[in-house]
Amino acid sequence: MKPMNKCGRDIRVGVIYERVWHGKDKAMRKKIPAGTTRLGMYIDGFDTSWFKTPFLRHRFEIKSQDQLEKIMESGVAYVYIDTEKGLDVLEEEARKESVELPAKVKVQKLPTIAEEKAYTDYVKAVDDLLQIDKLSLVEATVVDFDLFVKTDMNIVPIALTRNKEGDAVITKELLTATGELMINRADSEKYRDYLRRAAKTDSSAQSQVNKNMLIKENAKLLVHDLFNNPGNPAKMEACKDTVENVITSIMDTKGLITNLFTINKYDFYIYTHSVNVSVFSVATALAMGIQSEGELFAIGMGSLLHDIGMSTIPPEVLHKPFERLTDFEIGLMRGHVYEGLDIVKLYKGITPETLLPLVEHHENLMGTGYPMGLTGDKLHVSGRIISITNTYDTLTTSRPGFKSITPYEALAHLRDHKDLYDADILKEFITVLGKSSQ
Ligand SMILES: [Fe+2]
């Protein structure tokens, strides 16, 4: 008899684990000019963001003239095809490809040298900084670290106001400044001390909310450390404590996640995203009635580590707008799931169940996700949860080349794709978000 979890789903994790481990079934993915597509081809993606095409799904077989025309009229220069699932490009078209661009195709504007230089400088600068939550700073308190404000790709040091003793103090103006607050990576321990001091002196009725802020900011620092030193056993152990703190906090507040996740995200940082997804996933699991400590922990920990494989990707690729990624770079990005497994498997304290959110966070019910294209019941409950929470957090976060959509729009997007996401789980996730915004 198959081992089942509470929701009646197969939890033979070893099977999935093995399949992922050996990375079988690599598709024959080929980039071709959109103008050379034909009936019978299997589209495996567009060389542009999802929002810039008229298609709800980016993986499908071209079965009608109407679909072909839509591709031509979309303005997308290139598409990806899977030649194992559908027809290949005609030989004569392949020959033409090198000399002639297909009709009706707009040529993508390449960045100028100045733009490229500005972007490279930005990546270098942002990689040395850490995004912190403005709400973690208390007016009139003293700080012993530098602060920076970031708006789009501009990063400016803040001239801190000094008191009579010469200490730098947090002012109202600073807390209401437009943009994102950042600190030097090297100052993360000083920031940790500041948070500890603030939590100790806090005796207000808001203490749980402030405690959540401490848990969240500490979790971000920790995941950031882990990304710079992936697989470090001490950091992994600390992640376990963090996940336990998150679970306890959500249980104590009956599902309230206020301040446990970052709301105003002007840019994408993996550490912020990882903590958000972990908190959303645990809260959703609890709302679904999952009470087993082991199951909750596996969902929380696996979600916290779900993108750890991104640590193997060079920052200039990681921060690059999707539209400008080359074929090779897209392959690198998609490989983060296997890379993540390779990192996490080195740590002995991880159970196979903990790997499920990591393995399945880019899968969906239709089987059009990656790396395995799992369908329906083959997707574990933790995979169903994280496929929702990961997509939501990604869609609501801006990054160079991608303007975020509002929480309402992101939830509408998830609701509109019932074939991809588990509708019952989505309902619970919406309840969780509703509670925290009250
Ligand atoms: Fe991912």
Side-chain angles (χ1 to χ4, degrees):
M1 198 177 135
K2 289 177 185 176
M4 307 292 251
N5 67 4
K6 274 179 182 305
C7 297
R9 294 197 177 95
D10 185 356
I11 52 162
R12 291 171 302 162
V13 288
V15 178
I16 297 303
Y17 184 69
E18 279 303 308
R19 284 181 58 192
V20 173
W21 212 262
H22 298 296
K24 288 178 185 165
D25 307 323
K26 289 253 159 66
M28 289 297 293
R29 201 166 189 257
K30 198 179 258 188
K31 184 175 176 179
I32 64 166
T36 62
T37 48
R38 58 183 175 126
L39 289 173
M41 278 181 170
Y42 188 89
I43 297 290
D44 191 44
F46 288 80
D47 191 28
T48 187
S49 117
W50 178 83
F51 296 95
K52 293 184 179 167
T53 81
F55 296 98
L56 287 179
R57 284 197 287 272
H58 276 190
R59 291 188 188 84
F60 58 89
E61 186 187 339
I62 308 175
K63 290 182 176 165
S64 69
Q65 194 59 33
D66 185 46
Q67 285 173 309
L68 260 183
E69 280 169 18
K70 269 191 185 168
I71 294 172
M72 301 292 178
E73 286 162 9
S74 66
V76 177
Y78 290 91
V79 300
Y80 295 91
I81 57 166
D82 184 337
T83 56
E84 278 192 346
K85 293 184 180 168
L87 296 177
D88 201 346
V89 70
L90 288 172
E91 263 183 50
E92 59 268 31
E93 292 290 356
R95 277 197 301 275
K96 272 199 283 178
E97 193 181 314
S98 56
V99 291
E100 185 187 351
L101 276 172
K104 294 190 182 180
V105 163
K106 289 175 199 162
V107 178
Q108 202 179 350
K109 183 184 162 284
L110 291 171
T112 62
I113 291 170
E115 282 168 348
E116 201 64 52
K117 164 104 177 56
Y119 171 72
T120 315
D121 290 348
Y122 162 76
V123 168
K124 220 185 277 169
V126 85
D127 208 41
D128 280 335
L129 300 172
L130 263 162
Q131 178 265 341
I132 65 164
D133 196 322
K134 248 180 225 172
L135 297 174
S136 70
L137 301 178
V138 182
E139 192 181 337
T141 53
V142 172
V143 290
D144 57 354
F145 45 85
D146 294 329
L147 284 160
F148 303 80
V149 66
K150 185 174 100 61
T151 41
D152 298 322
M153 292 199 339
N154 296 319
I155 300 169
V156 183
I158 295 173
L160 289 164
T161 308
R162 307 236 161 223
N163 62 16
K164 276 186 264 168
E165 289 77 36
D167 300 319
V169 288
I170 301 296
T171 58
K172 195 174 185 173
E173 293 70 46
L174 190 150
L175 296 176
T176 50
T178 312
E180 211 155 41
L181 282 190
M182 318 279 293
I183 60 167
N184 272 319
R185 268 163 60 165
D187 283 340
S188 60
E189 205 42 57
K190 287 180 179 172
Y191 178 56
R192 259 194 195 105
D193 284 343
Y194 173 87
L195 291 171
R196 281 187 210 117
R197 284 198 304 273
K200 256 189 211 160
T201 53
D202 176 35
S203 57
S204 69
Q206 283 281 301
S207 64
Q208 179 62 48
V209 172
N210 293 342
K211 215 166 100 189
N212 282 358
M213 177 68 74
L214 181 67
I215 294 172
K216 180 198 67 183
E217 291 296 281
N218 265 322
K220 277 164 52 187
L221 295 177
L222 183 60
V223 176
H224 184 267
D225 284 351
L226 195 64
F227 267 79
N228 287 303
N229 198 352
N232 176 294
K235 302 284 174 208
M236 286 285 207
E237 276 301 313
C239 282
K240 279 182 165 180
D241 294 342
T242 292
V243 171
E244 270 155 21
N245 286 339
V246 165
I247 296 172
T248 308
S249 170
I250 301 175
M251 282 176 124
D252 286 352
T253 55
K254 297 192 170 41
L256 197 70
I257 55 171
T258 308
N259 273 4
L260 266 185
F261 69 102
T262 305
I263 303 178
N264 299 316
K265 296 162 290 150
Y266 300 96
D267 208 344
F268 186 84
Y269 307 103
I270 293 231
Y271 44 94
T272 309
H273 169 68
S274 302
V275 174
N276 274 12
V277 172
S278 179
V279 168
F280 291 152
S281 298
V282 168
T284 306
L286 274 164
M288 288 162 63
I290 295 176
Q291 285 172 348
S292 141
E293 271 179 41
E295 230 177 314
L296 287 171
F297 176 78
I299 290 170
M301 185 76 170
S303 299
L304 193 67
L305 302 176
H306 78 278
D307 267 343
I308 189 78
M310 291 287 196
S311 61
T312 62
I313 297 173
E316 59 275 20
V317 176
L318 199 59
H319 297 287
K320 202 177 202 178
F322 184 78
E323 290 158 345
R324 285 171 46 198
L325 290 174
T326 64
D327 259 6
F328 176 74
E329 290 166 343
I330 289 174
L332 266 187
M333 294 288 273
R334 287 174 73 122
H336 77 281
V337 176
Y338 293 116
E339 295 291 344
L341 269 175
D342 279 346
I343 291 167
V344 175
K345 77 178 178 186
L346 294 174
Y347 177 59
K348 299 284 179 286
I350 289 285
T351 61
E353 287 85 354
T354 307
L355 297 174
L356 291 174
L358 186 155
V359 172
E360 296 183 4
H361 72 277
H362 285 293
E363 302 283 355
N364 63 57
L365 296 177
M366 280 289 284
T368 55
Y370 67 92
M372 292 177 291
L374 294 177
T375 51
D377 279 349
K378 294 204 178 75
L379 199 59
H380 294 80
V381 69
S382 45
R384 288 165 186 250
I385 294 173
I386 196 170
S387 66
I388 291 173
T389 54
N390 179 48
T391 306
Y392 172 82
D393 197 64
T394 306
L395 289 175
T396 52
T397 313
S398 292
R399 73 202 69 125
F402 174 78
K403 174 88 185 70
S404 66
I405 56 177
T406 65
Y408 178 80
E409 288 166 333
L411 292 176
H413 165 81
L414 290 164
R415 246 194 317 237
D416 289 345
H417 290 78
K418 290 189 183 72
D419 50 346
L420 301 181
Y421 306 106
D422 187 311
D424 293 335
I425 297 179
L426 178 58
K427 222 163 100 185
E428 300 299 349
F429 177 49
I430 293 171
T431 311
V432 164
L433 289 179
K435 257 189 196 178
S436 66
S437 59
Q438 280 164 10

